[in-house]
Amino acid sequence: MPRIHLGRWAESAVSWLQTHLDWLFDIINTVLSGAYDGVVAVLGAPHPLLMAGILAVVAWWLRGLLPAVLTYAGLALVDSFGLWDEAMATLSLVLVASLLTLLMAVPLGVWAARNRTVSGVLRPVLDVMQTMPAFVYLIPGVMFFSIGPLPGLIATVVFSMPPGVRMTELGIRQVDGELVEAARAFGTTPRDTLTRVQLPLALPTIMAGVNQVIMLALSMVVIAGMAGAGGLGEAVYAAVTQVDIGGGVESGLAVVILAIYLDRMTGALNQQVSPLGRRSLAKAAAAARGSVSATFLRYRPGAAVAAVGVVVLALVAGGMNLAGTGDKRTVAAGMNVGNGKKIKLGYFPWDEAVATTYLWQNILEDRGFAPEVKQLDPGPLYTALAQGQMDVQFDSWLPTTHKRYLDVYRDRLADLGAWYGPTSLELTVPSYVKDVDSIEDLKGKAGQFGGKIVGIESSAGNMGTLNGKVLKEYGLDGEYKVVSSTTSTMLAELDRAYKKKEPIVVPLWTPHWAYAKYDLKKLKDPKGAWGTGEKIHTVAKKDFAQDFPKVTGWLKDFRMSEKELASLEAEIQAGGKGKEKESARRWLDKHEGFADRFAPAGA
């Protein structure tokens, strides 16, 4: 059967849309970014414990005293993890995405319920929307809106819409036909029949759809952390890629707390707005009158009392913000070159990238800049640089590993030169693996290694070289399977196998701290399949030199020796997960004069 190039057609369609509808995407970007930023500002402005109190009052009004206490305790726990800002960013994204979804889903569901043709057309579309892997929605989102909350917001709306449409249609169709006929017999207009008969009776089912929309939105915004959407999704993604068990547990638990709160509140809101729900609440209250404890725990204040509580807490929070002292960060005299100007540093979770990014975050802060650091996968990071959403990154392996990105975005990127090299790519085994000293020696020994090579991110250039050239050159492509994972996962698997003295083969590169920590062998490459050594470059957005002329000069002169880079990576490894900036600061303090050598304030 001839090859159907559907993917190529999709790329052409995206390219056409970018060229001809760029103005529309700018409008959407402005409107949705404004809505998201506004909600973030409202939720993030109060002190965390005051905002937790406001949300607890809402829980008290909707569900009772005990849920309110549990809400406050759960949100206080999130704050104790140091994840409050991330939690509020995630909650903002969920609320905005859910509102947009429901504004479209409910009318579509009503239309489908009243028109069989519309229902038939929508059904396969909703099937595709719901079953398409969620990650796929991030690709056009990043292409149209670059990294940040917007791709996550758009992808979330698409992913979470189907249950909203389907549950609305189902609820209206389940309304007793005799009631509808009776309303029409008394001369009720179709609009009044919908608003006064069908929608009120369908409300419990519609609210169940609202609940599903919110839950799917929450699951999607976590996935959207891969595209720089921020919030708890980014924290979870960082923990996964760095095999940070503690960070993963804390950020995952924060997501669970938000999910439980949103689930319980939407369920309680259903009881408040639905006639059947209010009847059920009244029966429960009547049954609990004989028990003092049950009455106390189930007590819910009226809407007016709850509103007063929220307003009082909000006023207190506003007063505390007015009394705040602001940013107290100071810069030494004569060093304030940046004057607080923001500069966005991107990195993917490779050790030298982490090390140099946090090193320069400290240096730039010392020079008066306000650097922001964000972790992304290579694809989204290069896309963000090309679109001007990120300013610079320090880990471009050229001319081979990251060639594909330079080929696509070369005209929209600026190469500021190499700061380390030459490097080398290699397959590596522990030294206790006998009779395997060359890639050729792997032939016929797949059973010893479980038939696999534990790889890193599939988007990495060395993975493409390994699959496309190295294995074929040595006749290993049918014998070994390269398992894609992440750099941190590969290193964790290497550590596990090393401790158990089990055979393992992994792709590594020089420089890498693993060679200092473990006794490893670089497998010889007599056929030169890996190619010549590369250099690590600093790559920035196209107009970086115009926006940051002083920093451009610093980065062009930046160099690190193997000894310096190895010691910096070792310091960061010793500092532990989540302490990269502090570890880089310690390294700078130990190497006096390093910052002045490459970032002289007066130069």
Side-chain angles (χ1 to χ4, degrees):
M1 181 175 178
R3 173 77 162 87
I4 299 176
H5 297 282
L6 182 60
R8 189 181 301 170
W9 300 339
E11 290 179 1
S12 299
V14 170
S15 179
W16 187 89
L17 290 171
Q18 286 180 304
T19 303
H20 295 86
L21 295 180
D22 188 57
W23 58 272
L24 177 61
F25 298 129
D26 287 341
I27 294 174
I28 295 173
N29 193 356
T30 301
V31 173
L32 296 186
S33 294
Y36 171 75
D37 291 340
V39 177
V40 169
V42 170
L43 295 181
H47 186 278
L49 296 182
L50 278 175
M51 190 66 217
I54 292 173
L55 295 175
V57 169
V58 174
W60 189 20
W61 169 54
L62 288 174
R63 291 191 61 89
L65 184 59
L66 181 58
V69 173
L70 294 175
T71 294
Y72 191 85
L75 294 174
L77 184 63
V78 173
D79 183 43
S80 73
F81 293 157
L83 294 172
W84 183 261
D85 291 339
E86 290 83 354
M88 291 302 100
T90 295
L91 182 58
S92 301
L93 203 55
V94 169
L95 293 177
V96 174
S98 299
L99 180 60
L100 287 173
T101 301
L102 293 172
L103 287 176
M104 292 183 283
V106 173
L108 282 175
V110 171
W111 192 16
R114 297 167 70 90
N115 190 310
R116 294 283 182 181
T117 302
V118 173
S119 178
V121 171
L122 280 179
R123 190 175 297 114
V125 175
L126 295 176
D127 289 340
V128 172
M129 292 168 65
Q130 196 164 20
T131 56
M132 181 74 72
F135 296 96
V136 175
Y137 295 127
L138 295 179
I139 300 173
V142 170
M143 297 302 297
F144 293 141
F145 303 103
S146 188
I147 62 168
L150 261 296
L153 190 62
I154 299 299
T156 300
V157 169
V158 176
F159 183 68
S160 60
M161 187 179 295
V165 176
R166 284 184 164 130
M167 295 299 279
T168 300
E169 179 183 0
L170 178 64
I172 293 177
R173 288 191 183 280
Q174 284 182 336
V175 173
D176 191 343
E178 293 183 358
L179 292 176
V180 176
E181 289 298 326
R184 291 173 179 171
F186 281 98
T188 307
T189 64
R191 177 181 296 179
D192 287 340
T193 301
L194 174 67
T195 57
R196 295 187 180 186
V197 178
Q198 291 175 301
L199 285 178
L201 293 175
L203 203 52
T205 305
I206 295 174
M207 288 301 297
V210 171
N211 179 273
Q212 291 300 305
V213 165
I214 293 174
M215 292 298 102
L216 286 177
L218 184 58
S219 69
M220 187 61 198
V221 297
V222 172
I223 295 173
M226 296 178 62
L232 293 173
E234 186 171 311
V236 172
Y237 173 58
V240 170
T241 56
Q242 298 173 25
V243 196
D244 181 4
I245 297 175
V249 170
E250 291 178 350
S251 53
L253 185 57
V255 173
V256 170
I257 290 171
L258 276 186
I260 292 174
Y261 179 80
L262 292 171
D263 177 65
R264 300 300 188 270
M265 294 308 106
T266 52
L269 188 62
N270 178 23
Q271 291 183 316
Q272 291 283 350
V273 300
S274 166
L276 296 177
R278 288 195 295 268
R279 185 182 304 173
S280 175
L281 284 175
K283 289 182 178 179
R289 285 174 186 168
S291 173
V292 176
S293 60
T295 302
F296 176 73
L297 292 176
R298 288 176 178 271
Y299 171 71
R300 295 182 296 106
V305 175
V308 169
V310 169
V311 169
V312 169
L313 290 173
L315 290 175
V316 173
M320 291 178 66
N321 288 336
L322 291 175
T325 55
D327 184 12
K328 296 182 179 180
R329 185 172 63 88
T330 59
V331 180
M335 295 291 184
N336 192 9
V337 178
N339 293 312
K341 188 175 183 180
K342 290 184 178 180
I343 179 170
K344 298 177 182 179
L345 314 179
Y347 73 95
F348 33 88
W350 292 8
D351 294 285
E352 68 279 353
V354 173
T356 50
T357 300
Y358 284 100
L359 173 69
W360 274 99
Q361 183 186 25
N362 280 286
I363 293 174
L364 291 171
E365 282 186 352
D366 291 345
R367 298 299 183 260
F369 289 91
E372 298 177 356
V373 173
K374 183 178 286 292
Q375 176 185 322
L376 294 165
D377 266 359
L381 178 53
Y382 277 97
T383 302
L385 287 170
Q387 296 179 347
Q389 301 299 314
M390 297 297 292
D391 293 315
V392 64
Q393 69 102 352
F394 301 94
D395 202 30
S396 285
W397 286 55
L398 299 173
T400 304
T401 301
H402 292 147
K403 178 179 182 297
R404 69 174 75 175
Y405 303 114
L406 270 295
D407 288 344
V408 174
Y409 297 121
R410 189 176 300 278
D411 295 336
R412 290 183 280 171
L413 298 174
D415 186 352
L416 303 184
W419 58 268
Y420 183 93
T423 65
S424 65
L425 302 175
E426 55 260 351
L427 285 177
T428 302
V429 299
S431 59
Y432 56 75
V433 177
K434 304 302 181 183
D435 301 325
V436 179
D437 301 300
S438 166
I439 302 177
E440 292 176 321
D441 296 333
L442 292 173
K443 186 71 174 177
K445 298 179 180 177
Q448 184 177 350
F449 297 96
K452 66 181 180 181
I453 297 173
V454 181
I456 58 173
E457 293 84 357
S458 59
S459 59
N462 60 342
M463 288 285 283
T465 303
L466 176 60
N467 282 299
K469 186 176 181 182
V470 175
L471 296 185
K472 292 180 179 178
E473 284 282 338
Y474 289 95
L476 304 174
D477 50 343
E479 185 177 357
Y480 288 83
K481 178 182 180 182
V482 180
V483 181
S484 299
S485 60
T486 67
T487 302
S488 297
T489 302
M490 179 271 289
L491 292 170
E493 186 67 12
L494 173 62
D495 182 76
R496 185 198 64 79
Y498 192 87
K499 289 176 179 177
K500 294 184 176 182
K501 299 295 182 181
E502 295 177 349
I504 185 172
V505 56
V506 299
L508 268 181
W509 52 91
T510 302
H512 200 287
W513 56 266
Y515 288 114
K517 182 175 180 180
Y518 309 106
D519 187 7
L520 303 173
K521 287 191 296 185
K522 301 178 183 179
L523 298 186
K524 297 175 184 178
D525 179 18
K527 296 183 179 181
W530 281 112
T532 58
E534 297 186 272
K535 292 188 177 181
I536 306 178
H537 290 239
T538 300
V539 172
K541 64 179 184 179
K542 186 66 175 178
D543 54 355
F544 184 81
Q546 301 174 17
D547 294 344
F548 305 97
K550 183 78 71 174
V551 180
T552 301
W554 296 343
L555 295 181
K556 285 184 176 180
D557 294 335
F558 174 50
R559 300 290 185 276
M560 288 194 83
S561 67
E562 184 174 355
K563 182 179 179 181
E564 287 172 330
L565 180 57
S567 63
L568 174 58
E569 290 182 351
E571 186 74 49
I572 290 178
Q573 285 293 317
K577 305 295 184 182
K579 303 292 183 181
E580 291 85 358
K581 182 182 178 184
E582 294 84 348
S583 300
R585 167 57 62 189
R586 284 195 304 273
W587 187 90
L588 270 177
D589 292 341
K590 294 176 183 177
H591 294 74
E592 295 183 7
F594 184 91
D596 292 331
R597 183 173 18 136
F598 296 113

